[in-house]
Amino acid sequence: MELNKEKITLIADCEVTDKSKTAGGAVVRTSKFCADISECDFEGSCFVQTNLCATFKRSDMSGDYFEEVNLSGAGFERSDMSGDYFEEVNLSGAAFERSSICGAAFEEVNLSGAVFTDGDLSGVEISGCKLDGMTIDGLDVRELIEFYKKNHKENCDMKKNVRKAVIAGNWKMNKTRPEAKALLEELKGKVSDPGCEVIACVPFTNLETAVEATKGTPIKVGAQNCHFEKSGAFTGEISADMLVEMGVEYVVLGHSERRQYFGETDETVNKRTRAALAAGLKPIVCVGELLWERECNITEEVIARQIKLDFYGVSAEELKKCIIAYEPVWAIGTGKTATADQAEEVCAFIRATLAKLYGDDTAEAVTIQYGGSMNAGNAEELLSKANVDGGLIGGASLKAGDFNTIIEAATKG
Ligand code: 13P
């Protein structure tokens, strides 16, 4: 909040009574306001540690700043408070009548019992506030919030139903060929008509076995990496074309284990993503923050950076063929799952980031998975979230029964 420093008059330790006129931009500190305050000009003022238990009538209080102010029982009638900022303020029992507070921000403010009548509340932001008994035009705020949440959820659920739910197993470096065959045979027996897409991302040496074993079944096959060049002197690497030739449909790219142990960067993930798309593969691109990054409160910065770099140069049409897997690195193989709310928060953030880059329609079409210690016990709750469209599962995908339970949970979610 900007104050006009030239116009500032400091009123400290005083009592302000009716008809007081202060120049706009006043800083009012440790003062007491009593009784009725009418027709005052407080525009752009700053109230700090002040007792304002008064009735304000026809006063201009627009652009004001309130900090540690006691406003309990105060009344604001026909006042203009638009653009005000209230921090750590006690507004319990305050009444705002025919007052405009549009664009005002309330942070950690006690608003319980506050009454807003016939006012303009457009653009008001309320965070971390106490709201018990607060009413707007006679409507209980809690009911309004519940109403909003319900409508918001129904809206999100509708959009979720349009997207493809995808459960993918990332077998990592596990299973010999006979073991792979046995696991897929067992899985085939359980998964005959799944309500979601099912993928097994197997080691390179099992791809042929997997493609063969899953022919004519709903189970698709994915690889766990591919190189970005078409061919050449890249010992140990496999190209996207080589995977397509084998009948592979999906490829996991940018998994945190590849970033952590094999020097994969956002630049190489981007090159691999573009090469995979060009070859006709559907990439499952993994993003996720380290524990330290979460603790430093930079999860969103990390994720936004990965999304922007990993999909650089990828068109909207191509993006719709991709799956994004949100895998917080601290949750992978640790048994420490993100809570469903944490998973939803970041998956929603990924979608919002995509919306900024590609527009709402494209963002709404992209499948976003959660991965990291997802198992038969926690899958249903995680998959019930509006922006969690599926899972990328490590350990639990190695047991046909557990993996199938997750597939069934995706159908419910
Ligand atoms: P876990 O399910 O074993 O934690 O592994 C998750 C993962 O890395 C999937 O790609």
Side-chain angles (χ1 to χ4, degrees):
M1 141 95 218
E2 292 246 44
L3 285 175
N4 182 346
K5 300 224 172 59
E6 261 117 13
K7 285 178 84 188
I8 285 178
T9 323
L10 183 65
I11 306 171
D13 300 319
C14 64
E15 278 203 9
V16 181
T17 55
D18 193 20
K19 300 260 189 315
S20 296
K21 295 247 184 209
T22 69
V27 175
V28 184
R29 184 183 284 278
T30 51
S31 296
K32 193 167 175 231
F33 282 58
C34 316
D36 279 4
I37 313 284
S38 311
E39 293 167 37
C40 287
D41 172 13
F42 292 119
E43 186 190 344
S45 299
C46 174
F47 296 90
V48 182
Q49 292 174 344
T50 293
N51 187 349
L52 286 170
C53 314
T55 303
F56 295 84
K57 286 184 190 158
R58 294 182 297 281
S59 295
D60 185 355
M61 305 184 78
S62 54
D64 284 357
Y65 178 88
F66 298 84
E67 197 182 309
E68 290 184 45
V69 167
N70 182 9
L71 278 160
S72 47
F76 297 85
E77 243 178 81
R78 296 185 206 219
S79 295
D80 183 0
M81 304 184 77
S82 49
D84 279 0
Y85 179 78
F86 299 82
E87 194 182 317
E88 290 185 42
V89 169
N90 182 3
L91 274 170
S92 53
F96 297 82
E97 242 178 83
R98 290 188 291 282
S99 297
S100 162
I101 56 166
C102 51
F106 297 90
E107 215 181 296
E108 292 185 36
V109 170
N110 183 358
L111 285 161
S112 40
V115 180
F116 297 84
T117 322
D118 290 333
D120 182 356
L121 290 167
S122 48
V124 167
E125 277 184 30
I126 298 181
S127 68
C129 295
K130 274 201 184 159
L131 300 173
D132 328 84
M134 174 178 151
T135 61
I136 296 177
D137 289 335
L139 287 169
D140 191 306
V141 162
R142 297 209 163 231
E143 280 174 26
L144 286 177
I145 291 172
E146 284 312 311
F147 177 79
Y148 167 78
K149 274 195 194 154
K150 189 170 170 284
N151 281 287
H152 180 68
K153 188 173 180 322
E154 274 169 12
N155 201 5
C156 289
D157 285 351
M158 257 165 58
K159 288 177 179 160
K160 184 172 178 175
N161 290 339
V162 172
R163 285 189 293 272
K164 201 171 42 166
V166 182
I167 297 296
N170 175 8
W171 290 10
K172 307 193 179 182
M173 198 175 71
N174 290 294
K175 305 287 174 189
T176 60
R177 270 155 59 115
E179 286 168 351
K181 194 166 185 317
L183 174 55
L184 288 166
E185 288 303 329
E186 197 185 344
L187 193 61
K188 265 163 46 180
K190 297 182 190 293
V191 181
S192 55
D193 185 20
C196 64
E197 191 139 334
V198 179
I199 311 167
C201 300
V202 304
F204 287 130
T205 52
N206 290 339
L207 286 171
E208 201 171 1
T209 309
V211 169
E212 197 54 40
T214 56
K215 253 195 199 126
T217 78
I219 304 167
K220 314 271 169 111
V221 177
Q224 297 173 15
N225 196 14
C226 74
H227 197 258
F228 45 82
E229 294 293 348
K230 282 184 97 58
S231 61
F234 301 100
T235 305
E237 291 293 321
I238 308 278
S239 77
D241 287 339
M242 291 170 181
L243 297 176
V244 173
E245 188 197 22
M246 291 185 82
V248 171
E249 248 183 84
Y250 289 88
V251 62
V252 176
L253 295 172
H255 191 280
S256 67
E257 284 148 16
R258 296 222 53 90
R259 294 178 191 253
Q260 216 174 338
Y261 308 130
F262 303 102
E264 201 79 67
T265 64
D266 286 312
E267 189 187 357
T268 58
V269 175
N270 175 251
K271 284 180 170 180
R272 288 174 207 264
T273 303
R274 290 161 71 167
L277 283 163
L281 288 170
K282 296 175 196 156
I284 302 174
V285 179
C286 305
V287 296
E289 80 287 2
L290 305 171
L291 180 58
W292 190 63
E293 289 167 335
R294 176 164 279 266
E295 284 170 352
C296 292
N297 232 352
I298 59 162
T299 300
E300 292 193 350
E301 280 101 312
V302 171
I303 301 290
R305 185 189 151 87
Q306 290 174 337
I307 295 286
K308 283 179 192 164
L309 295 177
D310 296 354
F311 292 99
Y312 177 75
V314 171
S315 71
E317 277 320 298
E318 288 174 322
L319 184 77
K320 288 183 193 165
K321 296 184 185 129
C322 299
I323 293 171
I324 298 176
Y326 166 54
E327 299 209 314
V329 180
W330 47 272
I332 295 177
T334 56
K336 212 178 178 189
T337 328
T339 64
D341 285 340
Q342 284 172 325
E344 167 63 13
E345 194 180 1
V346 181
C347 290
F349 175 76
I350 291 172
R351 202 174 305 288
T353 306
L354 295 176
K356 277 192 203 146
L357 297 171
Y358 293 92
D360 286 346
D361 289 351
T362 304
E364 287 301 337
V366 176
T367 294
I368 302 176
Q369 298 173 316
Y370 166 79
S373 301
M374 191 188 269
N375 58 41
N378 59 27
E380 194 170 333
E381 196 190 349
L382 286 159
L383 293 166
S384 72
K385 292 292 174 182
N387 285 286
V388 181
D389 306 317
L392 184 55
I393 295 105
S397 71
L398 300 172
K399 292 188 191 127
D402 286 3
F403 193 51
N404 186 46
T405 304
I406 299 171
I407 292 166
E408 285 171 355
T411 315
K412 286 182 214 156

